[in-house]
Amino acid sequence: MSEHLHTSLKEKIDLERLPKHIAIIMDGNGRWAKSKGKPRIFGHQSGVTAVREAAESAAELGVSYLTLYAFSTENWTRPRMEVNALMRLLLQTIKDEVVTLNKNNIRLNAIGDLDSLPKLNKEHLLRAMDQTSHNDRMTLTLALSYSSRWEIIQAARKLAAEVEQGELKAGDVDQHCIERFLTTFGMPDPELLIRTSGETRLSNFMLWQIAYAELYFSKKFWPEFRKADLYEAIIDFQCRERRFGKTSEQITKQNNKE
Ligand code: IPE
Ligand code: IPE
Ligand code: MG
């Protein structure tokens, strides 16, 4: 893409109406590699470049939270060789990126069943999170060994324990009580959810949090996803009317008042 087209796309974005939180289901690494006659892991390696671009461009624009679905609970059922290669790649990437994250003032965060990760991965991940914890331009969250049902189950267990101990009445359970135990507690819900590779499903990702997210599906495989593709998704998002159950007339009136 020419630099000119790139800039003109970026200029179409209304910086006053950016989504605060963008979540991405990074899909299509394997198919992209296959189309090039390469092994699947080559696709995952190339996907790291796209992660870097997405993080950089979101931070540059002023997005506060970027969450990337990197490895699902169900991904453990892939061939062992692929899982091992993915874990090695994750470890290497975490080690390599801390300097850049600090340079870009980005805080690293992770959600998911981190205890199920290899010990070394968990250690380096926690260290990288600690080493970037002072950064405040953007929070980059990696969903690792994450699935929404896993998250809801662990939240339900913690809630049930409070009820069991008499700290909470069953009738007092409300939205806030549940959110308190979700791994995303403290973050705003994603306003824009992007999935690459042409698949139009959620694959167990943030089912609670995306109740009112705008969904955007890109045909590009994740390793091909570039800054301009993120800009296009945001421009598309900004053209939509988010009604939250109200009527279009109510929304227009509300916007005119602001
Ligand atoms: C996404 O790419 C990365 C992970 C799920 C780890 P895939 O590995 O799912 O690639 P495809 O969908 O098989 O092409
Ligand atoms: C979803 O992709 C999980 C991640 C992107 C980490 P998958 O490739 O695992 O999803 P399905 O199996 O096609 O639904
Ligand atoms: Mg896939």
Side-chain angles (χ1 to χ4, degrees):
M1 167 154 311
S2 77
E3 195 55 36
H4 172 69
L5 202 56
H6 201 259
T7 318
S8 69
L9 261 181
K10 198 173 175 183
E11 279 168 359
K12 281 195 192 151
I13 298 175
D14 178 355
L15 296 176
E16 303 294 313
R17 291 171 50 243
L18 275 180
K20 278 193 192 63
H21 186 173
I22 299 178
I24 308 182
I25 302 176
M26 311 184 288
D27 197 19
N29 294 351
R31 277 165 287 160
W32 178 81
K34 195 174 173 190
S35 76
K36 301 203 148 338
K38 298 269 171 68
R40 292 179 58 85
I41 189 65
F42 177 71
H44 298 313
Q45 285 160 348
S46 308
V48 176
T49 311
V51 168
R52 227 175 268 133
E53 283 224 6
E56 248 180 54
S57 47
E60 270 166 21
L61 285 171
V63 172
S64 304
Y65 296 87
L66 178 68
T67 300
L68 304 176
Y69 201 10
F71 194 85
S72 73
T73 306
E74 290 77 20
N75 287 149
W76 290 113
T77 62
R78 288 194 179 187
R80 218 170 95 198
M81 254 201 13
E82 181 169 346
V83 171
N84 290 346
L86 272 167
M87 288 302 143
R88 276 197 300 275
L89 178 64
L90 174 67
L91 182 61
Q92 195 54 50
T93 308
I94 295 166
K95 284 188 193 168
D96 292 346
E97 295 302 315
V98 174
V99 175
T100 314
L101 288 170
N102 277 331
K103 201 174 77 201
N104 291 330
N105 194 10
I106 298 173
R107 183 169 79 96
L108 183 68
N109 178 38
I111 57 171
D113 184 10
L114 305 186
D115 288 333
S116 68
L117 296 175
K119 201 164 155 270
L120 211 54
N121 283 45
K122 192 185 159 191
E123 271 172 25
H124 278 271
L125 181 64
L126 295 181
R127 191 177 307 162
M129 284 161 64
D130 188 52
Q131 288 169 336
T132 60
S133 60
H134 54 280
N135 296 335
D136 59 7
R137 184 155 74 135
M138 185 180 83
T139 299
L140 172 66
T141 301
L142 299 180
L144 294 168
S145 193
Y146 173 90
S147 71
S148 202
R149 288 187 178 176
W150 164 82
E151 178 181 44
I152 290 169
I153 290 166
Q154 60 85 39
R157 286 185 183 157
K158 288 176 186 162
L159 258 182
E162 282 198 350
V163 174
E164 227 169 47
Q165 280 151 28
E167 292 162 13
L168 183 71
K169 287 203 197 94
D172 289 340
V173 174
D174 59 8
Q175 185 166 320
H176 177 75
C177 276
I178 293 176
E179 283 171 351
R180 221 161 26 98
F181 293 117
L182 296 180
T183 58
T184 49
F185 183 54
M187 285 189 220
D189 286 341
E191 287 160 275
L192 171 60
L193 173 74
I194 300 170
R195 182 171 186 146
T196 58
S197 89
E199 304 297 355
T200 48
R201 55 176 170 266
L202 299 172
S203 304
N204 217 345
F205 188 51
M206 289 195 146
L207 302 179
W208 173 282
Q209 295 88 339
I210 60 168
Y212 265 103
E214 296 297 327
L215 311 185
Y216 180 89
F217 298 103
S218 162
K219 290 243 166 12
K220 292 248 177 108
F221 291 133
W222 177 249
E224 322 172 295
F225 198 80
R226 289 289 163 272
K227 288 190 176 186
D229 299 301
L230 185 74
Y231 298 156
E232 275 178 3
I234 295 174
I235 293 164
D236 192 278
F237 166 85
Q238 293 187 331
C239 291
R240 302 186 192 184
E241 182 180 59
R242 306 185 71 206
R243 290 191 283 275
F244 301 98
K246 296 183 178 160
T247 65
S248 185
E249 288 72 19
Q250 284 176 295
I251 300 297
T252 313
K253 213 185 265 173
Q254 196 175 301
N255 290 345
N256 288 344
K257 262 191 217 150
E258 277 167 10

